[in-house]
Amino acid sequence: MFRSKTCGELRSENIGESVTLAGWVQRTRKMGGMTFVDVRDRYGVTQLVFNQETNSELCDKANKLGREYVINVTGLVAERSSKNKNMGTGDVEILVEKLTILNESLTPPFTIEDTTDGGDDIRMKYRYLDLRRQSVRSNLMLRHQITFETRRFLDQQDFLEVETPILIGSTPEGARDFVVPSRMNTGQFYALPQSPQLFKQLLMVSGFDRYFQIAKCFRDEDLRADRQPEFTQIDCEMSFVEQEDVLQIFEGLIQHLFNEIKGVSFEGVFPRMTYADAMKYYGSDKPDIRFDMKFVELKDAVSGKDFVVFDSAEYVGGICASQCSGYTRKQLDELTEFVKRPQIGAKGLVYIKYESDGSLKSSIDKFYSSEDLKSIVSLFNAQPGDLILVLAGNKTKTQKALNELRLEMGARLGLRDKNVFKPLWVIDFPLFEWDEESQRFYAMHHPFTSPKPEDIPYLDTDPGKVRANAYDLVVNGVELGGGSIRIHDSKLQNRMFELLGFTAEKAEAQFGFLMSAFKYGAPPHGGLAFGLDRLVSLFAGLDSIRDCIAFPKNNSGRDVMIDAPSVIDASQLEELHLILNLPKTENA
Amino acid sequence: MFRSKTCGELRSENIGESVTLAGWVQRTRKMGGMTFVDVRDRYGVTQLVFNQETNSELCDKANKLGREYVINVTGLVAERSSKNKNMGTGDVEILVEKLTILNESLTPPFTIEDTTDGGDDIRMKYRYLDLRRQSVRSNLMLRHQITFETRRFLDQQDFLEVETPILIGSTPEGARDFVVPSRMNTGQFYALPQSPQLFKQLLMVSGFDRYFQIAKCFRDEDLRADRQPEFTQIDCEMSFVEQEDVLQIFEGLIQHLFNEIKGVSFEGVFPRMTYADAMKYYGSDKPDIRFDMKFVELKDAVSGKDFVVFDSAEYVGGICASQCSGYTRKQLDELTEFVKRPQIGAKGLVYIKYESDGSLKSSIDKFYSSEDLKSIVSLFNAQPGDLILVLAGNKTKTQKALNELRLEMGARLGLRDKNVFKPLWVIDFPLFEWDEESQRFYAMHHPFTSPKPEDIPYLDTDPGKVRANAYDLVVNGVELGGGSIRIHDSKLQNRMFELLGFTAEKAEAQFGFLMSAFKYGAPPHGGLAFGLDRLVSLFAGLDSIRDCIAFPKNNSGRDVMIDAPSVIDASQLEELHLILNLPKTENA
């Protein structure tokens, strides 16, 4: 037996007990004739005491312990003279009688503390040491808790968790697949699923009624900070439902998670906003509604005053930053620089200061009279002390830039508290989105999303106008997930494929089995998927999903700890009938 | 709203209520002026009634319903005149007032009944219809329940579920990996994990203390009936444990599952048997102990009587089949044919009948006197009426054949009841197994398994004699899973690699990151993994794991429903810098 207690559980009730603990040496310090050793495990830290006078041999042994040595000790639980209120075990210490070194340790390349001296690269290379840090491990404990509570909730709601296959077929539409050569089927490849979408729809055809799966998904995309080649979704589907049924069930799930895990409860139902309103008032399909600061459209109000920037703009809009009229020239310049950054791309920034004394100052005084400015300011319901910030230009780009500016101002004003959570359903997404480059429509959600029945006539006349039974759940400006009611009619599904530019052959080759299944009595169905990595990040207050993944990959898709991917044996390639055709520069 | 109730929940208490149901048409039948329709969903079947007299239009519509049409109906719950005790809803029927056809269906290629007319191939091609059958779906519901209860139990025991990556590096040792070409890392490949072994050991180094994961694993092996290229394990690991701790925890898990799901409880702890005893008494490392019929070794007892078959045999052993002395010539010939089949490979079968009158008859009367036979029979503690069956030859092969014969006799005697469960821990496995062909040792479990401390001296002198801290859980002759206490000392681990014929370079290339991790304070640790597919099959009484997998692959690794794997676009190959080098016969 290596231990009778963990390092996190001893309290003053245990004083006088003989216990055995095991764990890692967090630190040692000598004070007079005493040596104190903090021993750590997943559950906590306990202080060990060695006394030079009573047992010098044992104390000498303790003095030789290095950081991260693995030890176990037996001793008596005693009351601490100077208690540590910051530690659960801070009332007690162990008077050690026996010390065994279970394993030694080299000095770790960075300190195993909540705030470490290790940079990102070294911590990823030694991820197994990074994971020893409480601050990292707690993210993974939270992840466990979220998946466990998700399963508990969905099980109670009669959902069945069904594993769908990882080795499936490739569907070139959409993001790029990872492929897996098949040795037994020469020249053929499996693909790893981008989502279990087709299989969950088949399970509905099979009458499973309520399905979920916490599923690994894969996308071979160029990675950004917040993307991983493999990621995890809480994937769900229900039969005989309308949009309202789906929203209610999964609003329940999210409320359950917030309640059980963060002790947060929400009053009433989650607010809902149409996609159209989200774009109009926030310039984003995932508005952060922890703060108001809605866009006000100004085109009509500012036109015809010979200010060519506004007159020539497709869109003029602004936001009102409360009590910011005192912004200095420098601060305003900063904001101007911010919106002019290439990734935001605005041409400039117009401001109107509504001074505390009621006067108005602006960067466009030359074109607009005080009266003009007053009427603009009144559109914002602005108060003395407020600052109006205005952008103009192409509608889509300007709304996008104004969204960034709004988020920046929200952050500057401290309105984006990580401990405040504001959920929002964004509904009525467009069914299609037009791609200028390829001059064709793409499915905004995916090709199986059903149009709103009342918009079906537009499919023939004005596809861009068709709204979908599609919805996203957004919390604090983060899209946690989304879904849709699916098409369950094979004729309508074929019409969709047509509109999306699939030939009959291509549709058959890629989705033939789904189309066949639909001919045998598909029920009305719909569902959604939440991004687990994002959900955990939101709960943990993390900036990157990487921090809630045990063994993440870097931006090149590499696991630097195990050094994968890597070259494989020639015999492996041969068995798969593959030849590498490396570009010349790589061979050099 | 598509339904107010499911098809499985109406009872006599609901009589008089107006309800809406939705589901699939199971069957329709006309009786006089009435039409009865059974509507089915996941939860059950409810009888609908249409009356030609009261609403002929509606009744005509009902008469046109085909099998597997999707409908919803509204009507009154009424008492049934002839109740059906075999159905939960058998006391009631619905007097339908409104019928909507939600979707039509072609006639399915096989009947959607527990006992279907569809063969294996057609059911796999239309797996989405096969899954509609209650008998198939119930296996998947059981699978959900087993995984849910596993998680509940392990969560209560402080285990954390941690997702380990699916895209890892290839380790050519062991079974063949599936590989995944990396586009971003030209010429390099990921591999899919055969198990999370290395990652769970790293998590122990990280101080996670108790880890589990219900994990997808992958092996590119030639498939047998009971193998799938992707399969699922309940994978577990614990720190600061000895073998006894691991056995106790997971015996608890298995007891919990049997208790919660099958209402079976076991008296006392699970029996344990050493590998040596399992081989000696059952000729198998996974004995079925639902029945006794242990091997009796006869070499000493039968030698020196000029029977050359026994005299020249390395091993002579037999079993005693209770009350089978009445076996006819034909039955004995059948058994002889059985053991002579190539997959069993015995040369012949010797019998001794201990007749009810106390006399002895055998196929070796020529060599053995009645006294000789009596002394042999007494070794079995045989009773009048019993039949002794004896095999002789090479020890390993003969024990294996005798095991098959024992199982066959157990089956014939009805001693292998699928509803009786007999768990057994097999312990003290050998650390190595010798491979005649390559003339080298292989790790019997895997290279990270720790030898028993008392056997470590044999590592240098007689590796074949070293026993491991390794254990398997066997139920009814099925190996549900197994594991070991791991090596946590990097020096001992290096010695193991040496004995297994790894060069230092090869060990470093494949397991370097684990060896590095072990230098930073690895705790003593151990664990095990259960095969989920086998566990569900055992609980469900299935003959093949395929029946508890939603979308299984066939013996060629194909999913015949989605027709994967398949050829991929030339552009996909090009992006991956791969050229297919198909063998000529395939090109033809």
Side-chain angles (χ1 to χ4, degrees), chain B residues 233-466:
Chain B
Q233 292 199 333
I234 303 172
D235 189 52
C236 309
E237 197 79 3
M238 304 168 74
S239 288
F240 300 115
V241 288
E242 289 160 342
Q243 176 170 305
E244 190 56 38
D245 304 296
V246 178
L247 298 196
Q248 275 183 25
I249 284 276
F250 293 101
E251 189 162 318
L253 169 63
I254 296 298
Q255 284 183 326
H256 174 80
L257 294 177
F258 269 103
N259 232 307
E260 288 286 326
I261 294 170
K262 294 203 79 75
V264 169
S265 53
F266 299 99
E267 268 176 52
V269 298
F270 292 176
R272 297 181 189 182
M273 191 183 292
T274 63
Y275 173 85
D277 279 353
M279 296 312 290
K280 181 180 171 71
Y281 294 117
Y282 300 95
S284 166
D285 60 0
K286 38 178 194 280
D288 182 349
I289 59 164
R290 275 175 297 185
F291 62 108
D292 194 23
M293 214 186 281
K294 284 198 195 72
F295 294 4
V296 172
E297 289 182 10
L298 300 172
K299 180 68 184 169
D300 291 345
V302 298
S303 291
K305 301 288 176 178
D306 293 335
F307 183 38
V308 67
V309 172
F310 284 177
D311 282 354
S312 66
E314 184 189 2
Y315 175 89
V316 182
I319 54 174
C320 173
S322 187
Q323 299 304 307
C324 290
S325 68
Y327 259 43
T328 60
R329 179 80 249 162
K330 183 161 171 270
Q331 285 173 302
L332 290 166
D333 284 349
E334 267 172 31
L335 290 180
T336 308
E337 286 314 304
F338 175 83
V339 297
K340 285 167 89 174
R341 290 187 308 168
Q343 58 270 49
I344 297 186
K347 297 239 167 64
L349 174 69
V350 167
Y351 68 82
I352 307 172
K353 286 179 173 181
Y354 191 176
E355 303 283 8
S356 311
D357 62 6
S359 67
L360 291 156
K361 273 184 206 156
S362 88
S363 52
I364 47 172
D365 286 348
K366 218 164 107 185
F367 303 97
Y368 296 89
S369 70
S370 187
E371 276 314 297
D372 293 338
L373 294 177
K374 221 165 239 169
S375 73
I376 293 172
V377 159
S378 71
L379 294 172
F380 289 89
N381 288 320
Q383 303 301 314
D386 289 355
L387 172 69
I388 310 291
L389 299 168
V390 179
L391 297 179
N394 162 285
K395 183 172 176 178
T396 311
K397 281 185 188 160
T398 306
Q399 284 185 331
K400 209 171 146 238
L402 196 54
N403 165 52
E404 296 293 342
L405 181 62
R406 176 181 174 271
L407 293 176
E408 171 66 17
M409 289 312 295
R412 284 176 179 237
L413 291 168
L415 302 171
R416 302 178 69 192
D417 183 345
K418 279 186 174 178
N419 297 306
V420 171
F421 297 94
K422 292 287 179 193
L424 171 74
W425 287 110
V426 178
I427 57 173
D428 295 357
F429 275 81
L431 187 61
F432 299 106
E433 89 194 307
W434 178 256
D435 184 58
E436 278 299 330
E437 202 176 315
S438 57
Q439 288 284 306
R440 53 163 276 202
F441 282 113
Y442 281 87
M444 192 147 189
H445 190 55
H446 56 52
F448 314 109
T449 301
S450 79
K452 285 195 173 288
E454 61 268 34
D455 289 358
I456 287 183
Y458 297 127
L459 281 178
D460 297 319
T461 58
D462 188 358
K465 207 170 166 180
V466 179

Side-chain angles (χ1 to χ4, degrees), chain B residues 40-59:
Chain B
R40 183 198 72 229
D41 65 12
R42 183 182 119 197
Y43 311 95
V45 173
T46 301
Q47 178 167 293
L48 312 177
V49 188
F50 299 84
N51 190 325
Q52 187 70 42
E53 255 175 51
T54 54
N55 190 337
S56 66
E57 198 183 332
L58 194 66
C59 197

Side-chain angles (χ1 to χ4, degrees), chain A residues 197 200 219 226 231-236 246-247 250-251 253-254 257-258 270 273 285-287 422-429 444-446 469-484 486 527-536 538-539 545:
Chain A
Q197 183 65 33
K200 71 177 176 176
R219 269 180 214 169
D226 218 27
F231 55 99
T232 307
Q233 291 200 332
I234 302 172
D235 189 51
C236 309
V246 179
L247 299 195
F250 293 102
E251 189 162 320
L253 169 63
I254 296 297
L257 293 177
F258 269 104
F270 292 176
M273 190 183 291
D285 60 1
K286 39 178 194 279
K422 292 287 181 194
L424 172 74
W425 286 110
V426 178
I427 57 173
D428 295 356
F429 275 80
M444 192 149 189
H445 190 54
H446 56 54
N469 275 321
Y471 32 81
D472 275 357
L473 182 66
V474 175
V475 179
N476 294 1
V478 175
E479 183 216 317
L480 280 192
S484 64
R486 326 298 181 186
L528 52 59
F530 292 113
L532 177 64
D533 307 298
R534 284 196 195 159
L535 187 62
V536 179
L538 178 81
F539 270 54
I545 60 167

Side-chain angles (χ1 to χ4, degrees), chain A residues 132 144 163 190 232 520 557, chain B residues 132 144 155 163 190 232 520 557:
Chain A
R132 275 192 197 163
H144 164 78
E163 291 175 64
Y190 301 100
T232 307
Y520 292 97
Chain B
R132 275 192 198 163
H144 163 79
D155 175 75
E163 291 174 64
Y190 300 100
T232 307
Y520 293 96

